[in-house]
Amino acid sequence: MHWSDAVNSSLACIVKIDTPTGHGTGFLCFSNPAKPMIAIATAGHVIHHADKWMEPIRIYTHDGSKSLLLKADERHITMGNQSDSALILFSKDQNLFENTPPLPLLDQEFVLRVGTQVGWIGFPTLEPDTPCFFSGMISARKNNAYLIDGVAINGVSGGPVLYVDEQEETRVVGTVSAYRMNKATKDTLPGLLIAQDLSLFHDVLTHIRTVETTAANMPLP
């Protein structure tokens, strides 16, 4: 699969997240056809301030054709305690997505090897209304993150890091968290992108599915 195909198949799930202090990127990672709930994954620092101060956030579809203003009482945000990750859960009745399946997450036990090519999508401040694609190679795995030989620009934080598997299926392997610049000299030299792993998302979504399955199997009174 060419990267252009992976991008085109993912764009419908990509969102821009506006807050009173800036913007970042997110993606649709959960949707239950039977119940009015969806989840947007992003980086924790993108929405931390808005969550702490109960400020509104606005979510735009990738092409800007639709947007949704979420006040504090219209959403539930789960922040990672040990990771720069966050999930925004809100009512599917808001109709931000129409028949759009979420981006599949890579299985939690699967770790990509050093040298694997990955790509990521986000809304850089240079072009804040245009979803842009970037790519690079995994340089190392450190703690709960991948270090990637690639660029991360302000605004791309929270965007999905994508991997095309052997079956040519596109899967999310992490979220853009930061860019570690090389300042060994007076000049700013190329650095490394830090991609947070999917631990928080897997944990929360597994809990949601478990609760839904338990509720569905409970006998009626």
Side-chain angles (χ1 to χ4, degrees):
M1 178 187 290
H2 193 275
W3 273 117
S4 62
D5 297 320
V7 172
N8 289 335
S9 66
S10 304
L11 273 179
C13 293
I14 307 299
V15 298
K16 177 183 175 182
I17 302 173
D18 259 350
T19 75
T21 57
H23 85 269
T25 305
F27 62 95
L28 177 66
C29 68
F30 175 80
S31 178
N32 186 338
K35 293 189 177 182
M37 179 189 294
I38 62 176
I40 299 293
T42 187
H45 73 267
V46 169
I47 57 173
H48 178 267
H49 187 276
D51 180 46
K52 179 179 179 179
W53 295 103
M54 300 180 69
E55 296 172 334
I57 60 176
R58 184 176 289 276
I59 299 176
Y60 293 87
T61 54
H62 76 281
D63 57 2
S65 62
K66 293 181 181 180
S67 71
L68 171 65
L69 182 68
L70 288 175
K71 298 179 181 179
D73 61 351
E74 296 173 329
R75 69 192 188 228
H76 175 77
I77 293 177
T78 300
M79 303 287 294
N81 293 324
Q82 305 296 326
S83 65
D84 182 28
S85 303
L87 269 179
I88 309 170
L89 290 95
F90 56 94
S91 171
K92 190 177 181 181
D93 293 339
Q94 304 286 358
N95 200 30
L96 191 65
F97 301 95
E98 291 183 2
N99 302 318
T100 301
L103 282 178
L105 306 181
L106 190 69
D107 290 343
Q108 196 164 10
E109 64 273 11
F110 193 91
V111 178
L112 296 183
R113 296 183 297 176
V114 170
T116 300
Q117 186 176 33
V118 291
W120 51 100
I121 305 172
F123 295 86
T125 52
L126 299 173
E127 288 290 339
D129 298 318
T130 305
C132 295
F133 172 73
F134 308 83
S135 66
M137 297 289 185
I138 291 180
S139 298
R141 170 80 172 182
K142 186 175 182 181
N143 300 327
N144 294 323
Y146 288 108
L147 305 182
I148 301 173
D149 179 17
V151 176
I153 303 174
N154 289 342
V156 179
S157 291
V161 179
L162 307 173
Y163 163 67
V164 180
D165 64 20
E166 295 179 354
Q167 288 73 43
E168 297 197 339
E169 296 288 337
T170 303
R171 299 188 180 279
V172 179
V173 302
T175 52
V176 176
S177 177
Y179 185 67
R180 184 178 297 169
M181 293 181 290
N182 181 357
K183 296 182 179 180
T185 66
K186 292 182 180 180
D187 298 322
T188 298
L189 303 175
L192 290 170
L193 179 150
I194 301 174
Q196 186 65 55
D197 74 1
L198 305 173
S199 300
L200 174 72
F201 310 139
H202 277 297
D203 291 346
V204 174
L205 298 183
T206 298
H207 175 72
I208 291 174
R209 295 186 181 103
T210 300
V211 171
E212 290 181 342
T213 301
T214 301
N217 293 330
M218 288 182 64
L220 296 175

